[in-house]
Amino acid sequence: QIPLNTYEIPVLIYAPGRVAAQKIDTPMSQIDVAPTVLGLLGLAYQAPFFGQDVLKWPQDRPRTLLFNHNHDVAALRGNSLCILGLRKSVRCERYERTPGAPSEQTTRFTPAPDDPVLIDLATAYYQTAYEQFTQRRYR
């Protein structure tokens, strides 16, 4: 399993006079931090990476978060987690999290039917990243 609860990192952006105080519960990953900060600064962001400005992400569109842990990579969309493992293994799980203080949080993974759309999306993300890296197109 990929311990998703250990990947939770709060982000605080303090910019009085520039950014109004607000709480945003949009899921994001580390690769989204730079585009989001650049967006807040009003700077254009264009790069071959996958990060997005989460403050401009449409609320009605689900976010896809990417993870890697040990030898597995995964994509999470909503509560669906698809894990791509060694030797082309694929498994999907339902991820349920009960929010609360860290000591009170509970997470549960239950087997789920394959989600072909999310499996294909995860494969496409990681295959594209691999090709960008091996062909040195990431600059």
Side-chain angles (χ1 to χ4, degrees):
Q1 288 184 358
I2 296 180
L4 294 182
N5 61 327
T6 66
Y7 285 85
E8 293 182 13
I9 303 169
V11 174
L12 174 68
I13 298 172
Y14 181 73
R18 190 137 195 37
V19 179
Q22 59 184 316
K23 179 181 179 182
I24 299 169
D25 288 326
T26 302
M28 65 185 289
S29 64
Q30 290 174 328
I31 61 176
D32 299 319
V33 173
T36 301
V37 169
L38 291 172
L40 285 169
L41 294 172
L43 301 172
Y45 172 78
Q46 188 174 11
F49 305 114
F50 301 133
Q52 299 291 320
D53 180 346
V54 297
L55 300 178
K56 291 188 174 75
W57 192 265
Q59 292 296 322
D60 60 338
R61 257 180 77 197
R63 297 266 303 136
T64 301
L65 302 178
L66 306 173
F67 299 92
N68 67 299
H69 183 74
N70 294 336
H71 53 76
D72 294 330
V73 295
L76 174 71
R77 178 176 268 180
N79 288 337
S80 296
L81 177 71
C82 287
I83 302 163
L84 309 178
L86 295 175
R87 296 180 190 86
K88 299 183 181 182
S89 67
V90 176
R91 72 182 183 277
C92 293
E93 298 177 349
R94 179 162 176 75
Y95 172 65
E96 296 177 61
R97 177 183 176 271
T98 304
S103 62
E104 299 168 358
Q105 289 178 5
T106 60
T107 56
R108 186 170 73 169
F109 294 90
T110 54
D114 283 354
D115 179 343
V117 173
L118 189 54
I119 292 169
D120 286 350
L121 184 61
T123 303
Y125 269 119
Y126 287 104
Q127 185 65 39
T128 300
Y130 172 79
E131 289 174 5
Q132 284 183 335
F133 181 75
T134 59
Q135 296 173 15
R136 301 178 66 83
R137 294 187 321 189
Y138 52 86
R139 296 179 187 192

